[in-house]
Amino acid sequence: MQKVDRILKKNSIVANTESLLIGDFRDRKKILKLFGIVIVIVTGIVFLIVLFGKWFG
């Protein structure tokens, strides 16, 4: 532990827990949810176009 501290001080590296990117997982989950909603909407629109095309075509 002391060797690590010396190396960090020698190379002017600041080591702390604030540099960890924990929030990245939540952001990825939001993006996947948005992507899923977009896929459902596009699929629904295509389905409606095909359905109305059969009725009126």
Side-chain angles (χ1 to χ4, degrees):
M1 200 160 139
Q2 291 174 353
K3 289 181 182 180
V4 172
D5 286 339
R6 265 189 261 128
I7 292 171
L8 292 176
K9 288 178 184 177
K10 180 180 176 184
N11 294 317
S12 300
I13 299 172
V14 178
N16 58 23
T17 57
E18 293 177 14
S19 63
L20 298 175
L21 299 174
I22 306 267
D24 188 41
F25 296 112
R26 281 182 253 139
D27 291 340
R28 190 171 293 170
K29 194 173 182 179
K30 288 179 185 178
I31 291 171
L32 287 175
K33 184 178 179 180
L34 179 65
F35 186 68
I37 291 170
V38 169
I39 288 176
V40 168
I41 290 172
V42 170
T43 305
I45 291 172
V46 169
F47 177 74
L48 289 174
I49 290 171
V50 170
L51 186 66
F52 284 118
K54 287 184 179 182
W55 282 355
F56 298 112

CSV table of all heavy atoms in Angstrom, one decimal:
chain,number,residue,atom,x,y,z
A,1,MET,N,0.8,-1.2,0.0
A,1,MET,CA,0.0,0.0,0.0
A,1,MET,C,0.9,1.3,0.0
A,1,MET,O,0.6,2.2,-0.7
A,1,MET,CB,-0.9,0.0,1.2
A,1,MET,CG,-2.1,0.9,1.1
A,1,MET,SD,-3.3,0.3,2.3
A,1,MET,CE,-3.9,1.8,2.9
A,2,GLN,N,1.9,1.2,0.7
A,2,GLN,CA,2.8,2.4,0.8
A,2,GLN,C,3.6,2.5,-0.5
A,2,GLN,O,3.8,3.7,-1.0
A,2,GLN,CB,3.8,2.2,1.9
A,2,GLN,CG,3.2,2.3,3.3
A,2,GLN,CD,4.2,2.0,4.4
A,2,GLN,OE1,5.3,1.5,4.1
A,2,GLN,NE2,3.8,2.2,5.6
A,3,LYS,N,3.9,1.4,-1.2
A,3,LYS,CA,4.5,1.5,-2.5
A,3,LYS,C,3.6,2.2,-3.5
A,3,LYS,O,4.0,3.0,-4.3
A,3,LYS,CB,5.0,0.1,-3.0
A,3,LYS,CG,6.1,-0.5,-2.2
A,3,LYS,CD,6.5,-1.8,-2.8
A,3,LYS,CE,7.6,-2.4,-2.0
A,3,LYS,NZ,8.0,-3.8,-2.5
A,4,VAL,N,2.4,1.8,-3.5
A,4,VAL,CA,1.4,2.4,-4.4
A,4,VAL,C,1.2,3.9,-4.1
A,4,VAL,O,1.2,4.7,-5.0
A,4,VAL,CB,0.0,1.7,-4.2
A,4,VAL,CG1,-1.1,2.4,-5.0
A,4,VAL,CG2,0.1,0.2,-4.7
A,5,ASP,N,1.2,4.2,-2.9
A,5,ASP,CA,1.1,5.7,-2.5
A,5,ASP,C,2.3,6.4,-3.0
A,5,ASP,O,2.2,7.5,-3.6
A,5,ASP,CB,1.0,5.8,-1.0
A,5,ASP,CG,-0.4,5.5,-0.4
A,5,ASP,OD1,-1.3,5.5,-1.2
A,5,ASP,OD2,-0.5,5.2,0.8
A,6,ARG,N,3.5,5.8,-2.9
A,6,ARG,CA,4.7,6.5,-3.4
A,6,ARG,C,4.6,6.7,-4.9
A,6,ARG,O,5.0,7.7,-5.4
A,6,ARG,CB,5.9,5.7,-3.0
A,6,ARG,CG,6.6,6.2,-1.7
A,6,ARG,CD,7.9,5.6,-1.5
A,6,ARG,NE,7.7,4.5,-0.5
A,6,ARG,CZ,8.0,3.2,-0.6
A,6,ARG,NH1,8.7,2.9,-1.7
A,6,ARG,NH2,7.8,2.4,0.3
A,7,ILE,N,4.2,5.6,-5.6
A,7,ILE,CA,4.1,5.7,-7.1
A,7,ILE,C,3.1,6.8,-7.5
A,7,ILE,O,3.4,7.6,-8.4
A,7,ILE,CB,3.7,4.3,-7.7
A,7,ILE,CG1,4.9,3.3,-7.4
A,7,ILE,CG2,3.4,4.4,-9.1
A,7,ILE,CD1,4.5,1.9,-7.8
A,8,LEU,N,2.0,6.8,-6.8
A,8,LEU,CA,1.0,7.8,-7.1
A,8,LEU,C,1.5,9.2,-6.9
A,8,LEU,O,1.3,10.1,-7.7
A,8,LEU,CB,-0.3,7.6,-6.3
A,8,LEU,CG,-1.1,6.3,-6.7
A,8,LEU,CD1,-2.3,6.1,-5.7
A,8,LEU,CD2,-1.6,6.3,-8.1
A,9,LYS,N,2.1,9.4,-5.8
A,9,LYS,CA,2.7,10.8,-5.5
A,9,LYS,C,3.8,11.1,-6.4
A,9,LYS,O,3.9,12.3,-6.9
A,9,LYS,CB,3.2,10.8,-4.0
A,9,LYS,CG,2.1,10.8,-3.0
A,9,LYS,CD,2.6,10.8,-1.6
A,9,LYS,CE,1.5,10.7,-0.6
A,9,LYS,NZ,2.0,10.6,0.8
A,10,LYS,N,4.6,10.2,-6.8
A,10,LYS,CA,5.7,10.5,-7.7
A,10,LYS,C,5.3,10.9,-9.1
A,10,LYS,O,5.8,11.8,-9.7
A,10,LYS,CB,6.6,9.2,-7.8
A,10,LYS,CG,7.8,9.3,-8.7
A,10,LYS,CD,8.6,8.0,-8.7
A,10,LYS,CE,9.7,8.1,-9.7
A,10,LYS,NZ,10.4,6.9,-9.8
A,11,ASN,N,4.2,10.2,-9.5
A,11,ASN,CA,3.6,10.5,-10.9
A,11,ASN,C,2.5,11.6,-10.9
A,11,ASN,O,1.9,11.8,-11.9
A,11,ASN,CB,3.2,9.2,-11.5
A,11,ASN,CG,4.3,8.3,-11.8
A,11,ASN,OD1,5.4,8.7,-12.3
A,11,ASN,ND2,4.1,7.0,-11.5
A,12,SER,N,2.3,12.2,-9.7
A,12,SER,CA,1.2,13.2,-9.6
A,12,SER,C,-0.2,12.7,-10.0
A,12,SER,O,-0.9,13.4,-10.7
A,12,SER,CB,1.6,14.5,-10.3
A,12,SER,OG,2.8,15.0,-9.9
A,13,ILE,N,-0.5,11.5,-9.6
A,13,ILE,CA,-1.8,10.9,-9.9
A,13,ILE,C,-2.7,11.0,-8.7
A,13,ILE,O,-2.3,10.7,-7.6
A,13,ILE,CB,-1.6,9.4,-10.2
A,13,ILE,CG1,-0.7,9.2,-11.5
A,13,ILE,CG2,-3.0,8.7,-10.5
A,13,ILE,CD1,-0.4,7.8,-11.8
A,14,VAL,N,-3.9,11.6,-8.9
A,14,VAL,CA,-4.8,11.7,-7.9
A,14,VAL,C,-5.8,10.6,-7.9
A,14,VAL,O,-6.5,10.4,-8.9
A,14,VAL,CB,-5.6,13.1,-8.0
A,14,VAL,CG1,-6.7,13.2,-6.9
A,14,VAL,CG2,-4.7,14.2,-8.0
A,15,ALA,N,-5.8,9.8,-6.9
A,15,ALA,CA,-6.7,8.6,-6.9
A,15,ALA,C,-7.8,8.8,-5.9
A,15,ALA,O,-7.5,9.1,-4.7
A,15,ALA,CB,-5.8,7.3,-6.5
A,16,ASN,N,-9.0,8.8,-6.4
A,16,ASN,CA,-10.1,8.9,-5.5
A,16,ASN,C,-11.3,8.1,-6.0
A,16,ASN,O,-11.3,7.7,-7.2
A,16,ASN,CB,-10.5,10.3,-5.2
A,16,ASN,CG,-10.8,11.1,-6.5
A,16,ASN,OD1,-11.2,10.5,-7.5
A,16,ASN,ND2,-10.7,12.4,-6.5
A,17,THR,N,-12.3,7.9,-5.3
A,17,THR,CA,-13.5,7.1,-5.7
A,17,THR,C,-14.5,8.0,-6.6
A,17,THR,O,-15.3,7.4,-7.2
A,17,THR,CB,-14.3,6.6,-4.5
A,17,THR,OG1,-14.7,7.7,-3.7
A,17,THR,CG2,-13.4,5.6,-3.7
A,18,GLU,N,-14.3,9.3,-6.6
A,18,GLU,CA,-15.2,10.1,-7.4
A,18,GLU,C,-14.9,9.9,-8.9
A,18,GLU,O,-15.7,10.3,-9.7
A,18,GLU,CB,-15.0,11.6,-7.0
A,18,GLU,CG,-15.5,11.9,-5.7
A,18,GLU,CD,-15.2,13.3,-5.3
A,18,GLU,OE1,-14.9,14.1,-6.2
A,18,GLU,OE2,-15.3,13.6,-4.1
A,19,SER,N,-13.8,9.4,-9.3
A,19,SER,CA,-13.5,9.2,-10.7
A,19,SER,C,-14.1,8.0,-11.3
A,19,SER,O,-14.1,7.8,-12.5
A,19,SER,CB,-12.0,9.1,-10.9
A,19,SER,OG,-11.5,8.0,-10.2
A,20,LEU,N,-14.8,7.1,-10.5
A,20,LEU,CA,-15.5,6.0,-11.0
A,20,LEU,C,-16.8,6.4,-11.7
A,20,LEU,O,-17.5,7.2,-11.2
A,20,LEU,CB,-15.8,5.0,-9.9
A,20,LEU,CG,-14.6,4.4,-9.1
A,20,LEU,CD1,-15.0,3.6,-8.0
A,20,LEU,CD2,-13.7,3.6,-10.1
A,21,LEU,N,-17.1,5.8,-12.8
A,21,LEU,CA,-18.3,6.1,-13.6
A,21,LEU,C,-19.4,5.1,-13.3
A,21,LEU,O,-19.7,4.3,-14.1
A,21,LEU,CB,-17.9,6.2,-15.1
A,21,LEU,CG,-16.9,7.2,-15.5
A,21,LEU,CD1,-16.5,7.0,-16.9
A,21,LEU,CD2,-17.4,8.6,-15.2
A,22,ILE,N,-20.0,5.3,-12.1
A,22,ILE,CA,-21.1,4.3,-11.8
A,22,ILE,C,-22.4,4.7,-12.5
A,22,ILE,O,-23.2,3.9,-12.9
A,22,ILE,CB,-21.3,4.4,-10.2
A,22,ILE,CG1,-20.1,4.2,-9.5
A,22,ILE,CG2,-22.5,3.5,-9.8
A,22,ILE,CD1,-19.8,2.8,-9.1
A,23,GLY,N,-22.6,6.0,-12.7
A,23,GLY,CA,-23.9,6.4,-13.4
A,23,GLY,C,-24.0,6.0,-14.8
A,23,GLY,O,-25.1,6.1,-15.4
A,24,ASP,N,-23.0,5.5,-15.4
A,24,ASP,CA,-23.0,5.1,-16.8
A,24,ASP,C,-24.0,4.0,-17.0
A,24,ASP,O,-24.7,3.9,-18.1
A,24,ASP,CB,-21.6,4.6,-17.2
A,24,ASP,CG,-21.5,4.3,-18.7
A,24,ASP,OD1,-22.0,5.1,-19.5
A,24,ASP,OD2,-20.9,3.3,-19.0
A,25,PHE,N,-24.2,3.1,-16.1
A,25,PHE,CA,-25.1,2.0,-16.2
A,25,PHE,C,-26.6,2.5,-16.3
A,25,PHE,O,-27.4,2.0,-17.1
A,25,PHE,CB,-25.0,1.0,-15.1
A,25,PHE,CG,-23.7,0.3,-15.0
A,25,PHE,CD1,-22.8,0.5,-14.0
A,25,PHE,CD2,-23.3,-0.6,-16.0
A,25,PHE,CE1,-21.6,-0.1,-14.0
A,25,PHE,CE2,-22.1,-1.2,-16.0
A,25,PHE,CZ,-21.2,-1.0,-15.0
A,26,ARG,N,-26.9,3.5,-15.5
A,26,ARG,CA,-28.2,4.1,-15.5
A,26,ARG,C,-28.5,4.8,-16.9
A,26,ARG,O,-29.6,4.7,-17.4
A,26,ARG,CB,-28.4,5.0,-14.4
A,26,ARG,CG,-28.7,4.3,-13.1
A,26,ARG,CD,-28.9,5.2,-11.9
A,26,ARG,NE,-27.7,5.2,-11.1
A,26,ARG,CZ,-27.1,6.2,-10.6
A,26,ARG,NH1,-27.6,7.4,-10.7
A,26,ARG,NH2,-26.0,6.0,-9.8
A,27,ASP,N,-27.5,5.5,-17.4
A,27,ASP,CA,-27.7,6.1,-18.7
A,27,ASP,C,-27.9,5.1,-19.8
A,27,ASP,O,-28.7,5.3,-20.7
A,27,ASP,CB,-26.4,7.0,-19.0
A,27,ASP,CG,-26.3,8.2,-18.1
A,27,ASP,OD1,-27.3,8.6,-17.5
A,27,ASP,OD2,-25.2,8.7,-18.0
A,28,ARG,N,-27.2,4.0,-19.7
A,28,ARG,CA,-27.3,3.0,-20.7
A,28,ARG,C,-28.7,2.3,-20.7
A,28,ARG,O,-29.3,2.0,-21.7
A,28,ARG,CB,-26.2,1.9,-20.5
A,28,ARG,CG,-26.1,0.9,-21.7
A,28,ARG,CD,-25.0,0.0,-21.5
A,28,ARG,NE,-23.7,0.8,-21.7
A,28,ARG,CZ,-22.5,0.4,-21.5
A,28,ARG,NH1,-22.4,-0.8,-21.0
A,28,ARG,NH2,-21.5,1.1,-21.6
A,29,LYS,N,-29.2,2.2,-19.5
A,29,LYS,CA,-30.6,1.6,-19.3
A,29,LYS,C,-31.6,2.6,-19.9
A,29,LYS,O,-32.5,2.1,-20.5
A,29,LYS,CB,-30.8,1.4,-17.8
A,29,LYS,CG,-32.0,0.5,-17.5
A,29,LYS,CD,-32.1,0.2,-16.0
A,29,LYS,CE,-33.2,-0.7,-15.7
A,29,LYS,NZ,-33.3,-1.0,-14.3
A,30,LYS,N,-31.4,3.9,-19.7
A,30,LYS,CA,-32.4,4.8,-20.3
A,30,LYS,C,-32.3,4.8,-21.8
A,30,LYS,O,-33.4,4.9,-22.5
A,30,LYS,CB,-32.0,6.2,-19.8
A,30,LYS,CG,-32.4,6.5,-18.4
A,30,LYS,CD,-32.0,7.9,-17.9
A,30,LYS,CE,-32.2,8.1,-16.5
A,30,LYS,NZ,-31.8,9.5,-16.1
A,31,ILE,N,-31.1,4.7,-22.4
A,31,ILE,CA,-31.0,4.6,-23.8
A,31,ILE,C,-31.7,3.4,-24.4
A,31,ILE,O,-32.3,3.4,-25.4
A,31,ILE,CB,-29.5,4.7,-24.2
A,31,ILE,CG1,-29.0,6.1,-23.9
A,31,ILE,CG2,-29.3,4.4,-25.7
A,31,ILE,CD1,-27.5,6.2,-24.0
A,32,LEU,N,-31.5,2.2,-23.7
A,32,LEU,CA,-32.1,1.0,-24.2
A,32,LEU,C,-33.6,1.1,-24.1
A,32,LEU,O,-34.3,0.6,-25.0
A,32,LEU,CB,-31.6,-0.2,-23.4
A,32,LEU,CG,-30.1,-0.6,-23.7
A,32,LEU,CD1,-29.7,-1.7,-22.7
A,32,LEU,CD2,-30.0,-1.1,-25.1
A,33,LYS,N,-34.1,1.7,-23.1
A,33,LYS,CA,-35.6,1.9,-22.9
A,33,LYS,C,-36.1,2.8,-24.0
A,33,LYS,O,-37.1,2.5,-24.7
A,33,LYS,CB,-35.9,2.5,-21.6
A,33,LYS,CG,-37.4,2.6,-21.3
A,33,LYS,CD,-37.6,3.2,-19.9
A,33,LYS,CE,-39.1,3.4,-19.6
A,33,LYS,NZ,-39.3,3.9,-18.3
A,34,LEU,N,-35.4,3.9,-24.3
A,34,LEU,CA,-35.8,4.8,-25.4
A,34,LEU,C,-35.8,4.0,-26.8
A,34,LEU,O,-36.7,4.2,-27.6
A,34,LEU,CB,-34.9,6.0,-25.5
A,34,LEU,CG,-35.2,7.0,-26.5
A,34,LEU,CD1,-36.6,7.6,-26.4
A,34,LEU,CD2,-34.1,8.1,-26.6
A,35,PHE,N,-34.7,3.3,-27.0
A,35,PHE,CA,-34.6,2.5,-28.2
A,35,PHE,C,-35.7,1.5,-28.4
A,35,PHE,O,-36.3,1.3,-29.4
A,35,PHE,CB,-33.2,1.8,-28.2
A,35,PHE,CG,-32.9,1.0,-29.5
A,35,PHE,CD1,-32.7,1.7,-30.6
A,35,PHE,CD2,-32.8,-0.3,-29.5
A,35,PHE,CE1,-32.4,1.1,-31.8
A,35,PHE,CE2,-32.5,-1.0,-30.7
A,35,PHE,CZ,-32.3,-0.3,-31.8
A,36,GLY,N,-36.1,0.8,-27.3
A,36,GLY,CA,-37.2,-0.1,-27.3
A,36,GLY,C,-38.6,0.6,-27.7
A,36,GLY,O,-39.4,0.1,-28.4
A,37,ILE,N,-38.8,1.8,-27.1
A,37,ILE,CA,-40.0,2.5,-27.4
A,37,ILE,C,-40.0,2.9,-28.8
A,37,ILE,O,-41.1,2.8,-29.5
A,37,ILE,CB,-40.1,3.8,-26.5
A,37,ILE,CG1,-40.4,3.3,-25.0
A,37,ILE,CG2,-41.2,4.7,-26.9
A,37,ILE,CD1,-40.2,4.5,-24.0
A,38,VAL,N,-38.9,3.4,-29.4
A,38,VAL,CA,-38.8,3.8,-30.8
A,38,VAL,C,-39.1,2.6,-31.7
A,38,VAL,O,-39.9,2.7,-32.7
A,38,VAL,CB,-37.5,4.4,-31.1
A,38,VAL,CG1,-37.3,4.5,-32.6
A,38,VAL,CG2,-37.3,5.7,-30.4
A,39,ILE,N,-38.6,1.4,-31.4
A,39,ILE,CA,-38.9,0.2,-32.2
A,39,ILE,C,-40.3,-0.2,-32.1
A,39,ILE,O,-40.9,-0.5,-33.2
A,39,ILE,CB,-38.0,-1.0,-31.7
A,39,ILE,CG1,-36.6,-0.8,-32.1
A,39,ILE,CG2,-38.5,-2.3,-32.2
A,39,ILE,CD1,-35.6,-1.8,-31.6
A,40,VAL,N,-41.0,-0.1,-30.9
A,40,VAL,CA,-42.4,-0.4,-30.8
A,40,VAL,C,-43.2,0.6,-31.7
A,40,VAL,O,-44.2,0.2,-32.4
A,40,VAL,CB,-42.8,-0.4,-29.3
A,40,VAL,CG1,-44.4,-0.4,-29.2
A,40,VAL,CG2,-42.2,-1.5,-28.6
A,41,ILE,N,-42.9,1.9,-31.6
A,41,ILE,CA,-43.6,2.9,-32.4
A,41,ILE,C,-43.5,2.7,-33.9
A,41,ILE,O,-44.5,2.7,-34.6
A,41,ILE,CB,-43.2,4.3,-32.0
A,41,ILE,CG1,-43.6,4.6,-30.6
A,41,ILE,CG2,-43.7,5.3,-33.0
A,41,ILE,CD1,-43.1,5.9,-30.0
A,42,VAL,N,-42.3,2.4,-34.3
A,42,VAL,CA,-42.0,2.2,-35.8
A,42,VAL,C,-42.8,0.9,-36.2
A,42,VAL,O,-43.4,0.9,-37.3
A,42,VAL,CB,-40.5,2.1,-36.1
A,42,VAL,CG1,-40.3,1.6,-37.5
A,42,VAL,CG2,-39.9,3.5,-35.9
A,43,THR,N,-42.7,-0.1,-35.4
A,43,THR,CA,-43.4,-1.4,-35.8
A,43,THR,C,-44.9,-1.1,-35.8
A,43,THR,O,-45.6,-1.6,-36.7
A,43,THR,CB,-43.1,-2.5,-34.7
A,43,THR,OG1,-41.7,-2.6,-34.7
A,43,THR,CG2,-43.7,-3.8,-35.1
A,44,GLY,N,-45.4,-0.4,-34.9
A,44,GLY,CA,-46.9,-0.1,-34.9
A,44,GLY,C,-47.3,0.7,-36.1
A,44,GLY,O,-48.3,0.5,-36.7
A,45,ILE,N,-46.5,1.7,-36.5
A,45,ILE,CA,-46.8,2.5,-37.7
A,45,ILE,C,-46.8,1.6,-39.0
A,45,ILE,O,-47.7,1.7,-39.8
A,45,ILE,CB,-45.8,3.7,-37.8
A,45,ILE,CG1,-46.1,4.7,-36.7
A,45,ILE,CG2,-45.9,4.4,-39.2
A,45,ILE,CD1,-45.1,5.8,-36.6
A,46,VAL,N,-45.8,0.8,-39.1
A,46,VAL,CA,-45.7,-0.1,-40.2
A,46,VAL,C,-46.9,-1.1,-40.3
A,46,VAL,O,-47.5,-1.3,-41.3
A,46,VAL,CB,-44.4,-0.9,-40.2
A,46,VAL,CG1,-44.4,-2.0,-41.2
A,46,VAL,CG2,-43.2,0.0,-40.4
A,47,PHE,N,-47.3,-1.6,-39.1
A,47,PHE,CA,-48.5,-2.4,-39.0
A,47,PHE,C,-49.7,-1.7,-39.5
A,47,PHE,O,-50.5,-2.3,-40.2
A,47,PHE,CB,-48.6,-3.0,-37.6
A,47,PHE,CG,-49.8,-3.8,-37.4
A,47,PHE,CD1,-49.9,-5.1,-37.9
A,47,PHE,CD2,-50.9,-3.3,-36.7
A,47,PHE,CE1,-51.0,-5.9,-37.7
A,47,PHE,CE2,-52.1,-4.1,-36.5
A,47,PHE,CZ,-52.1,-5.4,-37.0
A,48,LEU,N,-49.9,-0.5,-39.0
A,48,LEU,CA,-51.1,0.3,-39.4
A,48,LEU,C,-51.1,0.6,-40.9
A,48,LEU,O,-52.1,0.6,-41.6
A,48,LEU,CB,-51.1,1.6,-38.6
A,48,LEU,CG,-51.5,1.5,-37.1
A,48,LEU,CD1,-51.4,2.8,-36.4
A,48,LEU,CD2,-52.9,0.9,-37.0
A,49,ILE,N,-49.9,0.9,-41.5
A,49,ILE,CA,-49.8,1.1,-42.9
A,49,ILE,C,-50.2,-0.1,-43.7
A,49,ILE,O,-51.0,0.0,-44.7
A,49,ILE,CB,-48.4,1.6,-43.3
A,49,ILE,CG1,-48.2,3.0,-42.8
A,49,ILE,CG2,-48.2,1.6,-44.8
A,49,ILE,CD1,-46.7,3.5,-42.9
A,50,VAL,N,-49.7,-1.3,-43.3
A,50,VAL,CA,-50.1,-2.5,-44.0
A,50,VAL,C,-51.6,-2.8,-43.8
A,50,VAL,O,-52.3,-3.2,-44.7
A,50,VAL,CB,-49.2,-3.7,-43.4
A,50,VAL,CG1,-49.7,-5.0,-43.9
A,50,VAL,CG2,-47.8,-3.5,-43.8
A,51,LEU,N,-52.1,-2.6,-42.6
A,51,LEU,CA,-53.5,-2.9,-42.3
A,51,LEU,C,-54.4,-1.9,-43.2
A,51,LEU,O,-55.4,-2.4,-43.8
A,51,LEU,CB,-53.8,-2.7,-40.8
A,51,LEU,CG,-55.2,-3.0,-40.4
A,51,LEU,CD1,-55.4,-4.5,-40.5
A,51,LEU,CD2,-55.4,-2.6,-38.9
A,52,PHE,N,-54.1,-0.6,-43.2
A,52,PHE,CA,-54.9,0.3,-44.0
A,52,PHE,C,-54.7,0.1,-45.5
A,52,PHE,O,-55.6,0.3,-46.3
A,52,PHE,CB,-54.6,1.7,-43.6
A,52,PHE,CG,-55.3,2.2,-42.3
A,52,PHE,CD1,-54.5,2.6,-41.2
A,52,PHE,CD2,-56.6,2.2,-42.1
A,52,PHE,CE1,-55.1,2.9,-40.0
A,52,PHE,CE2,-57.2,2.5,-41.0
A,52,PHE,CZ,-56.4,2.9,-39.9
A,53,GLY,N,-53.6,-0.4,-45.9
A,53,GLY,CA,-53.3,-0.7,-47.3
A,53,GLY,C,-54.2,-1.8,-47.8
A,53,GLY,O,-54.6,-1.8,-48.9
A,54,LYS,N,-54.4,-2.8,-46.9
A,54,LYS,CA,-55.3,-4.0,-47.3
A,54,LYS,C,-56.7,-3.5,-47.4
A,54,LYS,O,-57.5,-4.0,-48.2
A,54,LYS,CB,-55.1,-5.1,-46.3
A,54,LYS,CG,-53.8,-5.8,-46.5
A,54,LYS,CD,-53.7,-7.0,-45.6
A,54,LYS,CE,-52.3,-7.7,-45.8
A,54,LYS,NZ,-52.2,-8.9,-44.9
A,55,TRP,N,-57.1,-2.6,-46.4
A,55,TRP,CA,-58.5,-2.2,-46.4
A,55,TRP,C,-58.9,-1.3,-47.6
A,55,TRP,O,-59.9,-1.4,-48.2
A,55,TRP,CB,-58.8,-1.4,-45.1
A,55,TRP,CG,-59.0,-2.3,-43.9
A,55,TRP,CD1,-59.1,-3.6,-43.9
A,55,TRP,CD2,-59.2,-1.8,-42.6
A,55,TRP,NE1,-59.2,-4.1,-42.6
A,55,TRP,CE2,-59.3,-3.0,-41.8
A,55,TRP,CE3,-59.2,-0.6,-42.0
A,55,TRP,CZ2,-59.5,-2.9,-40.4
A,55,TRP,CZ3,-59.4,-0.5,-40.6
A,55,TRP,CH2,-59.5,-1.7,-39.8
A,56,PHE,N,-58.0,-0.4,-47.9
A,56,PHE,CA,-58.3,0.6,-48.9
A,56,PHE,C,-57.6,0.4,-50.3
A,56,PHE,O,-57.8,1.1,-51.2
A,56,PHE,CB,-57.9,2.0,-48.4
A,56,PHE,CG,-58.7,2.4,-47.2
A,56,PHE,CD1,-58.0,2.6,-46.0
A,56,PHE,CD2,-60.0,2.7,-47.3
A,56,PHE,CE1,-58.7,3.0,-44.9
A,56,PHE,CE2,-60.7,3.1,-46.2
A,56,PHE,CZ,-60.1,3.2,-45.0
A,57,GLY,N,-56.8,-0.7,-50.4
A,57,GLY,CA,-56.0,-0.9,-51.6
A,57,GLY,C,-56.5,-1.9,-52.4
A,57,GLY,O,-57.1,-2.4,-53.1
